[in-house]
Amino acid sequence: MFNRIYAVQSKLLEKIAERKGESTDRDWPLDWERIHMISCAKVGQYLAARRGVNTELAAIACAVHDYGRILSGKQKNHAVLGYEPVKEFLISCGYFSEAEIEIVAQAAKLHSNKSEVGSPLEEVVKDADVLDCFEYGIDPERPEQRSRLENIMAELKSM
Ligand SMILES: [Fe+2]
C-alpha cells in the first residue's frame, strides 16, 4: 500500500530525527514537532472533509506547515522561512506535481497570517494549527488566534 500522507509523515519523522543532537536551542521540543505534525494533519484532514477541501493535500499541508521551525528550531518567521525548504522537501519526495507543491508550500508560508483569510486549503491549515495546539493545552495568545478558535468551536458544534 502506498499513501502519500503516510509517506510524507515518515520522511518528516526522519527529518526531525536528524535534528537530534544538534546544538540549537529550540523554541519547541522535537517531540512536539513530531506530535503536532501528525495530529495537526489528522485535524486538518477532517476539517477539509467537512469543508469540501482536498483532504489529502490538506493533511499534507498540515504535516509540513512547521517545517521551517523543524529545521531552524526557531518560531520567529518560521512560516515564511519554511517556504523554500518545504518545496525542496516535497520535490525530494518525488510524488507531487509542481502545482501540488506550490499549493502546499504556499499554505505553509501563509499559515502564520491568522488574521487574514486565504484559500480554503490555507484556512484549513491555519484552523487545524490553532485547534491542535489548543487541544494540547496551548492557549491562543493573539486575538486573531482566539477568534479563529471560537469560530472553529462553533463549526464543530454544528457538526
Ligand atoms: Fe503549527
Side-chain angles (χ1 to χ4, degrees), residues 106-119:
Q106 197 69 16
K109 180 185 179 183
L110 299 175
H111 86 264
S112 292
N113 301 354
K114 301 283 198 293
S115 59
E116 287 163 32
V117 177
S119 72

Side-chain angles (χ1 to χ4, degrees), residues 20-44:
K20 203 181 171 195
E22 70 182 4
S23 54
T24 312
D25 190 20
R26 305 190 68 89
D27 290 340
W28 293 89
L30 288 174
D31 273 354
W32 171 247
E33 303 297 7
R34 290 184 182 94
I35 290 164
H36 181 51
M37 179 271 285
I38 290 169
S39 59
C40 185
K42 195 49 67 183
V43 170

Side-chain angles (χ1 to χ4, degrees), residues 76-96:
K76 196 168 179 225
N77 296 329
H78 71 285
V80 171
L81 293 174
Y83 176 66
E84 289 298 337
V86 165
K87 288 213 289 193
E88 282 165 30
F89 172 74
L90 294 173
I91 290 168
S92 77
C93 290
Y95 35 71
F96 293 106

Side-chain angles (χ1 to χ4, degrees), residues 2 4 9 11-12 20 22 51 53-54 58 61 68-69 73 78 92 110-112 117 120 124 126 129 141 148 157:
F2 176 76
R4 294 200 298 182
Q9 290 181 322
K11 278 184 179 284
L12 278 171
K20 203 181 171 195
E22 70 182 4
R51 296 177 185 178
V53 173
N54 182 314
R69 192 180 68 208
H78 71 285
S92 77
L110 299 175
H111 86 264
S112 292
V117 177
V124 165
K126 293 176 198 177
D129 190 20
E141 285 173 8
R148 216 167 248 284
K157 264 187 204 153

